[in-house]
Amino acid sequence: MTIDWEGSFAPRMRRAKGSAIRELLKLLDEPGIISFAGGIPDPALFPREEIAAAAQRILGDPRTAAAALQYAPSEGYAPLRRFIAGAMAERGVACAVDNILITSGSQQALDFIGRLFLAPGDTVLVARPTYLGALQAFGAHEPLYEPLPGPGSNRMPESGGSGGARRVKFAYAIADFQNPTGESLSLAERRDLVAGAAALGLPIVEDAAYELLRYDGDMLPSLLALDAARAGGIDAGSVLYCGTFSKTIAPALRIGWIAAPRAVIDKLVLIKQASDLHTSTLDQMILHEVASTISADHLARIRRTYRSRRDAMLAALSACFPASCRWTRPAGGMFVWVTLPAHLDAEDLLRRSLAEAKVAFVPGASFHADGTGRNTLRLNFSLNAEAIATEGLRRLGGVLHRALAG
Amino acid sequence: MTIDWEGSFAPRMRRAKGSAIRELLKLLDEPGIISFAGGIPDPALFPREEIAAAAQRILGDPRTAAAALQYAPSEGYAPLRRFIAGAMAERGVACAVDNILITSGSQQALDFIGRLFLAPGDTVLVARPTYLGALQAFGAHEPLYEPLPGPGSNRMPESGGSGGARRVKFAYAIADFQNPTGESLSLAERRDLVAGAAALGLPIVEDAAYELLRYDGDMLPSLLALDAARAGGIDAGSVLYCGTFSKTIAPALRIGWIAAPRAVIDKLVLIKQASDLHTSTLDQMILHEVASTISADHLARIRRTYRSRRDAMLAALSACFPASCRWTRPAGGMFVWVTLPAHLDAEDLLRRSLAEAKVAFVPGASFHADGTGRNTLRLNFSLNAEAIATEGLRRLGGVLHRALAG
């Protein structure tokens, strides 16, 4: 009897489909393509020599190598957890080691949080647009989405964490340089969000992936820092903070973390254990050694490079894009968000752009939980050097002018 | 408002509790403990120098380092997928690269398979006892369990993959040196299982973690190999094969794979993407280089070492354990399974053994989906050198004699 695979899958999987981002990543290898698609750091900024030296020290000594290659606790490599707890304290949040779980990148943090909280029909508050990977991670549990209060909307939903027909399980927020728009919450908006969630007893999932990639102005306190100050500490608070080294050290090591109340970490450790036992110990040890010894100049260089690329992208957009397009002017992160005239469809534009100009980007609809945003698109500015990006935007501007002309 | 965390979790998570194995792993660090608990390879057998050399080559060259440290496809590192496809062919299964998904250890393979197939109330066929990690991975989806046909039971369930009130989604089987019993399916039992599942249109999930750790006799064909021969190829067949390098290279690199029909891999890639984007590229590249160049003597040395430890454990059991205990005599793998007299409880024995003899093992109940097996326990023989294991079994035998005496 031949297997009816589709029929044998769980109902939630029958609807699952691929990510536009991941499919588009494949285009990066084609010759001549200028891609603004991925949320990709410049590999020239990876601290390669430091990583190589750390790997050599760890693997060169039989004792540290045995630890790096053997099964290890699900919670993560203890010195790395301690280092992260210290780094969180520097950002205004007193953390114990037991408040930290190491995850395989912050994507896994979002996946675990979805697994911990969500059952079909639960509601999650998300910005519109929001990070596609979060929608994918939560989507496996078939939640409903409602808009997160934010710029232009300070209203919190009426029913909170408990009771009522509709169960809001948590709010998902990116306070700094949001993916995909590049926009941030102001200090007042952060305070409002934290106070509003606390009044409802509603957990906040804070995705802090871009927090350190600030190019203008001073760092603002994280939602976790504000909430811990309000509640009298992380354990009494209601924020689950997802951090990552993917943007500041190297993404392929897949090292992220969750900082959260102990009661939440205890359950997440069980999910980690059932899910993949633990994150690569070698990678955790390398990351720990590099992150705890790297000079401050490393982050300064990343910021300098990306600031210059952001500026070049904004200049090229002004020079080459039709006046009827609008875009964000982010103070950090990796992305500029473009809104086209309402009648244009960014997926049609992408097909035309690839064919006519060999330029790739991500159409904006997939970042919208409700399928709106068809006239929006995301441009990454961290990967390409200024001259390449400027050429790509000149070509894309040409496609846009022709699309608007007829 | 303080958060009621327990009340805010998804219902399936409220019952989740920790693993005896993972908790016991923590005992390994205590001085004086002799532990038979973990399913742990001997770190002295890790190919440390080969791994260090591979890491240095990959990270020493800016081009390969950029690939090793950058975001990468969810499917896995293409040369590693090709290498695995080739290795599968050597074991009698013609595979294309598209039949292979890289996972973060085979625990993640089991987790993904649970996510792909299972909804609450679905049935999974498992051996009794079976691998605890599989029960944890599947358990998140609240399945029912029924016994897998095997030694002593060749009956397949009456209703198969489609129709009927009870929906059997797949059979989970470890054909070689099963965790926890160390027992294997004979060739006839493999043929019966494959034919029985095929007649019902029932997928088989084959966990091949211990396949290469054979100390006596010749390798038997995998369930996948038998099924591909029956169906005319892997894509027409019904087996999902989970492999790992954890037992033959090093577990902490967390590299495993699933070999399965393309229709299944396509969906699993979506799960991988939403779950952690991809497995560490550095670890995949290191693993590829080591696995594809290591001498045959490496595996021979592992087999020689573990064979000798198995023999020493069987000798010590005969010498030191009461005559009323029974145990398996495995031809491979890492475990011996002990059945105590029916009135003894292995969890009580563990508490007593830790207090009186500083010896750890895993009580057998947690390997039973139905909570039976309280008078069973699992002993690992791969980690400890013969003299240490013999001393540990002498002490544990003493505890047992005393427990039986009063």
Side-chain angles (χ1 to χ4, degrees), chain A residues 88-172:
Chain A
M88 298 298 298
E90 286 175 21
R91 294 180 221 166
V93 186
C95 271
V97 167
D98 290 342
N99 293 116
I100 307 292
L101 170 72
I102 304 297
T103 59
S104 297
S106 64
Q107 183 68 31
Q108 188 175 60
L110 299 174
D111 178 57
F112 286 1
I113 289 169
R115 288 159 81 148
L116 178 56
F117 287 100
L118 298 178
D122 285 342
T123 294
V124 178
L125 307 186
V126 296
R128 185 188 301 144
T130 194
Y131 173 50
L132 172 56
L135 296 177
Q136 291 178 322
F138 305 153
H141 308 282
E142 305 173 274
L144 308 172
Y145 295 104
E146 293 195 21
L148 178 75
S153 155
N154 283 308
R155 181 188 54 82
M156 282 298 278
E158 278 162 29
S159 83
S162 56
R166 166 170 137 292
R167 244 195 102 129
V168 182
K169 280 306 189 70
F170 59 80
Y172 169 73

Side-chain angles (χ1 to χ4, degrees), chain B residues 102-354:
Chain B
I102 304 298
T103 58
S104 297
S106 64
Q107 184 67 31
Q108 188 176 61
L110 300 175
D111 178 58
F112 286 1
I113 288 168
R115 289 160 81 148
L116 179 56
F117 286 100
L118 297 178
D122 284 345
T123 293
V124 178
L125 306 186
V126 296
R128 186 190 298 148
T130 193
Y131 173 50
L132 171 57
L135 296 178
Q136 291 178 322
F138 305 153
H141 308 282
E142 304 171 276
L144 308 172
Y145 294 105
E146 292 193 22
L148 179 75
S153 156
N154 282 308
R155 179 189 55 83
M156 282 298 280
E158 279 164 28
S159 82
S162 55
R166 168 168 135 294
R167 248 196 97 132
V168 183
K169 280 306 190 69
F170 58 81
Y172 169 72
I174 312 171
D176 290 303
F177 326 119
Q178 196 236 30
N179 183 352
T181 67
E183 293 182 314
S184 302
L185 298 181
S186 69
L187 183 56
E189 285 162 348
R190 291 170 201 234
R191 289 194 196 283
D192 284 350
L193 179 56
V194 165
L200 294 168
L202 186 68
I204 295 175
V205 175
E206 175 172 27
D207 185 339
Y210 305 95
E211 190 179 40
L212 295 178
L213 298 186
R214 174 178 283 279
Y215 318 130
D216 306 320
D218 293 328
M219 250 179 114
L220 292 175
S222 64
L223 301 173
L224 175 61
L226 292 173
D227 186 64
R230 171 198 67 79
I234 185 171
D235 283 317
S238 50
V239 174
L240 287 67
Y241 173 105
C242 305
T244 178
F245 293 101
S246 290
K247 319 301 180 193
T248 51
I249 305 285
L253 298 177
R254 311 303 305 125
I255 308 286
W257 72 92
I258 303 176
R262 239 168 279 217
V264 176
I265 295 291
D266 287 350
K267 285 283 189 181
L268 289 169
V269 170
L270 300 182
I271 294 175
K272 179 72 182 163
Q273 179 183 306
S275 152
D276 62 3
L277 297 184
H278 64 82
T279 293
S280 162
T281 325
L282 175 62
D283 293 346
Q284 290 187 72
M285 290 173 76
I286 290 174
L287 200 293
H288 171 251
E289 184 159 333
V290 172
S292 59
T293 58
I294 202 161
S295 79
D297 189 54
H298 169 69
L299 186 57
R301 184 163 159 247
I302 291 177
R303 287 178 174 146
R304 212 160 49 231
T305 306
Y306 292 169
R307 180 192 294 120
S308 162
R309 291 179 181 180
R310 176 206 58 184
D311 292 344
M313 174 169 278
L314 293 175
L317 286 168
S318 292
C320 307
F321 267 39
S324 54
C325 296
R326 290 177 293 112
W327 52 86
T328 55
R329 284 163 183 78
M334 295 186 162
F335 306 108
V336 168
W337 181 249
V338 178
T339 303
L340 309 172
H343 68 284
L344 285 191
D345 183 306
E347 284 192 37
D348 293 341
L349 185 73
L350 175 61
R351 273 185 288 273
R352 196 163 166 178
S353 168
L354 285 169

Side-chain angles (χ1 to χ4, degrees), chain A residues 221-298:
Chain A
S222 65
L223 301 174
L224 175 61
L226 292 173
D227 187 63
R230 171 197 68 77
I234 184 171
D235 282 317
S238 49
V239 174
L240 287 66
Y241 173 104
C242 305
T244 178
F245 293 101
S246 291
K247 320 300 178 191
T248 52
I249 305 286
L253 297 178
R254 310 303 304 124
I255 308 286
W257 72 92
I258 303 176
R262 241 167 278 215
V264 176
I265 295 292
D266 287 350
K267 285 284 189 181
L268 289 169
V269 169
L270 300 181
I271 295 176
K272 178 72 182 166
Q273 180 183 306
S275 151
D276 61 5
L277 296 185
H278 64 82
T279 293
S280 162
T281 325
L282 175 62
D283 293 347
Q284 290 188 72
M285 290 174 76
I286 290 174
L287 201 292
H288 172 250
E289 183 159 333
V290 172
S292 60
T293 58
I294 202 162
S295 79
D297 190 57
H298 169 69

